[in-house]
Amino acid sequence: MTVYTAVPQNFIDALVPMFEEKTGTSVEIIKAGSGELLNRLTAEADSPMADVLWSVDGTVIDFNPDLFEAYEAAGSDMLADGMKQSDMWTPFTAVVMVLIVNEGELDGLPKPDSWAGLADPQYDNKISSARAEASGSAYIQLATVLQAFGGEEAGWDVYKGLLSNFVLSDSSGAVPRFVNDGELAVGVTLEDAALRYVEGGGPVEIVYPSEGTAIAPDAMALVAGAPNGDNGKAFLDFMLSADAQAVVAEQGRRPVRSDVGSNPALLPLDQVNSVGYDAAWAAENRARLVDQWKDMVLDVQ
């Protein structure tokens, strides 16, 4: 079978061999960004090459339903509250946006613990962030701030302060590395990316913004007309199984099953303040918001 995926390589290395050993099915992985994968699926719609799309924003599937076949994976009855958001796809993990902080590089400044706090001019050129037009996770961070303050206009007022303090990178993976290496004091990043540096013994910690953050499931789905559809269904069943979700937790992402606990190094999920992230709104407004982001960059950077 063939799987198109945007998942980080560590999940591929940990989980695909488990599936192959369990089922005897050989898996070909095509790894790329979600936009490129969607373009491939669209081009191949009349003669699909892939069986599964694994670990993308769920709106990629919801906004292109003709490319996918609805399938309820085994174990869906064990999904945690809020994880099932569509009949077209199955959640794989829950991604959480956090701050990674190297307190030793703050030069005596208080440790920020909120989005609004990051907008304080005292943090000028101390915060690492990826560019929202280049990074899917950075765009989620932008949309999170715009949703966290009771209205888009109020969110932009706060985000403008953040952006004026940001040191922008084209790579989301570079954000936590810069903070861990002491080049910058704070980063806005994915929880699992930050956790890798914490568990690696780096001089960093994870901070959850007090106003709330995005807790968003990523999606996996069966491709319409999949040439190996039965194997595709078995893949989805496996990735939602308790065994696979335990590996998800080991890798630092939040499992989506209610009976599988998170990595013990992380704050329990019921203690993380959720902004109630509206992925559909973020997707529908992405082009407009990214254009506004680009204009604001020119103003404040």
Side-chain angles (χ1 to χ4, degrees), residues 6-72:
V7 78
Q9 187 65 41
N10 55 303
F11 288 93
I12 297 171
D13 295 342
L15 285 166
V16 171
M18 287 177 61
F19 172 75
E20 290 179 323
E21 182 176 355
K22 179 180 177 66
T23 64
T25 301
S26 176
V27 179
E28 180 182 6
I29 294 290
I30 305 297
K31 188 177 184 312
S34 58
E36 180 181 341
L37 296 173
L38 177 61
N39 289 340
R40 290 184 68 145
L41 289 168
T42 302
E44 297 165 358
D46 291 338
S47 184
M49 304 292 291
D51 300 295
V52 167
L53 181 62
W54 179 30
S55 188
V56 298
D57 188 319
T59 56
V60 170
I61 296 160
D62 286 332
F63 290 174
N64 299 276
D66 292 346
L67 297 177
F68 303 96
E69 177 184 333
Y71 173 68
E72 184 174 53

Side-chain angles (χ1 to χ4, degrees), residues 118-187:
L118 289 183
D120 192 310
Q122 67 183 334
Y123 298 111
D124 184 33
N125 289 323
K126 291 187 177 295
I127 305 171
S128 179
S129 174
R131 301 181 64 91
E133 91 275 43
S135 163
S137 61
Y139 175 72
I140 293 175
Q141 293 151 18
L142 165 62
T144 299
V145 175
L146 296 183
Q147 295 177 36
F149 292 92
E152 185 180 327
E153 184 176 353
W156 276 118
D157 287 342
V158 173
Y159 190 85
K160 185 175 183 179
L162 271 73
L163 189 57
S164 65
N165 292 337
F166 281 167
V167 178
L168 292 170
S169 170
D170 289 332
S171 167
S172 59
V175 170
R177 185 176 73 246
F178 287 152
V179 178
N180 185 78
D181 293 349
E183 296 182 44
L184 292 162
V186 181

